[in-house]
Amino acid sequence: GAVVSQHPSRVICKSGTSVKIECRSLDFQATTMFWYRQFPKQSLMLMATSNEGSKATYEQGVEKDKFLINHASLTLSTLTVTSAHPEDSSFYICSASRRRDDSPLHFGNGTRLTVT
Amino acid sequence: GESVGLHLPTLSVQEGDNSIINCAYSNSASDYFIWYKQESGKGPQFIIDIRSNMDKRQGQRVTVLLNKTVKHLSLQIAATQPGDSAVYFCAENMGGTSYGKLTFGQGTILTVHP
């Protein structure tokens, strides 16, 4: 069964509004979670590393003020897309790592964001 | 910058055939490699992984080969089934301070015809 859960699976919002996406590790504590973005027919691109109890680390070119990440507990990370625009429409996927020295093998099922 | 890439964007096979999906990587510092399967509208599903101290690893119907000399990775699927139809991605990780951060290849679309 799934070990990483994402919610919602689909969301449609109007331009200018904010959307929050949740990523939960279901049966383990994840000190680190990762957020990826995937455009249609393209590969996954890492956006940021979410660290429990500390600030997220963003990849080059990703606006930290636009994509707010909060990792308040060992089982939950949230990604908030603020002031969404149509170009933010994408498939957002999270992954979680069981231990600091493990590569993440577990991905969520993604969230399809459509901004109208 | 350095990245992981794939030679073939699409692959069509007949049910029962063996499939080989290739991936070239350019970061010699990568020490961990993973193959993922992604079905439409879903997140990546782990298939098999291999560390840089190995050159071959086998799973159920799948084998991953790693050739560090030419920086090449391949996924072999035996007796391919229609349910194997999906997009396949290779991903690399450098470990160390970059633990858990994956760089994905462009993906190969595998279509299995009954």
Side-chain angles (χ1 to χ4, degrees):
Chain A
V3 296
V4 176
S5 173
Q6 266 185 257
H7 179 80
S9 58
R10 289 179 177 271
V11 58
I12 300 172
C13 71
K14 292 186 177 180
S15 198
T17 61
S18 296
V19 174
K20 180 185 286 187
I21 303 169
E22 295 185 346
C23 179
R24 295 181 183 273
S25 55
L26 298 181
D27 62 354
F28 64 98
Q29 293 182 331
T31 55
T32 308
M33 293 183 177
F34 302 86
W35 288 96
Y36 293 81
R37 180 173 182 176
Q38 184 179 31
F39 290 108
K41 300 189 186 301
Q42 294 189 24
S43 188
L44 286 76
M45 295 294 294
L46 179 66
M47 297 175 66
T49 302
S50 175
N51 304 297
E52 187 271 334
S54 63
K55 291 183 179 180
T57 306
Y58 291 81
E59 295 300 300
Q60 189 173 7
V62 178
E63 299 176 59
K64 62 180 182 181
D65 293 331
K66 181 166 185 65
F67 298 100
L68 300 179
I69 292 172
N70 183 280
H71 195 152
S73 78
L74 285 170
T75 60
L76 175 64
S77 174
T78 61
L79 169 68
T80 300
V81 183
T82 63
S83 187
H85 289 100
E87 57 264 32
D88 297 325
S89 298
S90 188
F91 194 50
Y92 293 87
I93 311 170
C94 71
S95 70
S97 173
R98 291 177 182 266
R99 302 197 309 267
R100 289 186 67 85
D101 58 351
D102 260 2
S103 287
L105 301 180
H106 311 290
F107 279 81
N109 261 335
T111 297
R112 173 72 61 193
L113 170 63
T114 303
V115 184
T116 61
Chain B
E2 297 185 285
S3 64
V4 178
L6 290 169
H7 295 304
L8 300 174
T10 62
L11 177 64
S12 293
V13 300
Q14 291 295 125
E15 182 178 2
D17 288 351
N18 296 332
S19 301
I20 299 176
I21 300 172
N22 297 300
C23 175
Y25 67 95
S26 57
N27 191 340
S28 57
S30 294
D31 66 357
Y32 180 55
F33 304 87
I34 312 170
W35 280 100
Y36 287 96
K37 173 186 180 183
Q38 187 179 28
E39 296 175 292
S40 180
K42 296 185 178 180
Q45 176 186 351
F46 171 83
I47 301 173
I48 193 168
D49 60 357
I50 189 168
R51 296 202 176 270
S52 59
N53 60 354
M54 303 173 67
D55 53 20
K56 180 179 180 179
R57 191 159 189 228
Q58 288 184 296
Q60 187 176 14
R61 284 202 304 120
V62 294
T63 301
V64 56
L65 299 178
L66 175 62
N67 186 331
K68 294 181 289 294
T69 301
V70 295
K71 297 190 182 74
H72 185 266
L73 192 68
S74 69
L75 175 69
Q76 299 177 1
I77 305 174
T80 316
Q81 303 167 1
D84 294 328
S85 295
V87 181
Y88 288 81
F89 292 98
C90 64
E92 63 177 325
N93 178 248
M94 290 187 287
T97 57
S98 298
Y99 68 90
K101 295 170 64 173
L102 299 181
T103 300
F104 281 81
Q106 68 181 78
T108 293
I109 301 172
L110 175 65
T111 303
V112 183
H113 301 283

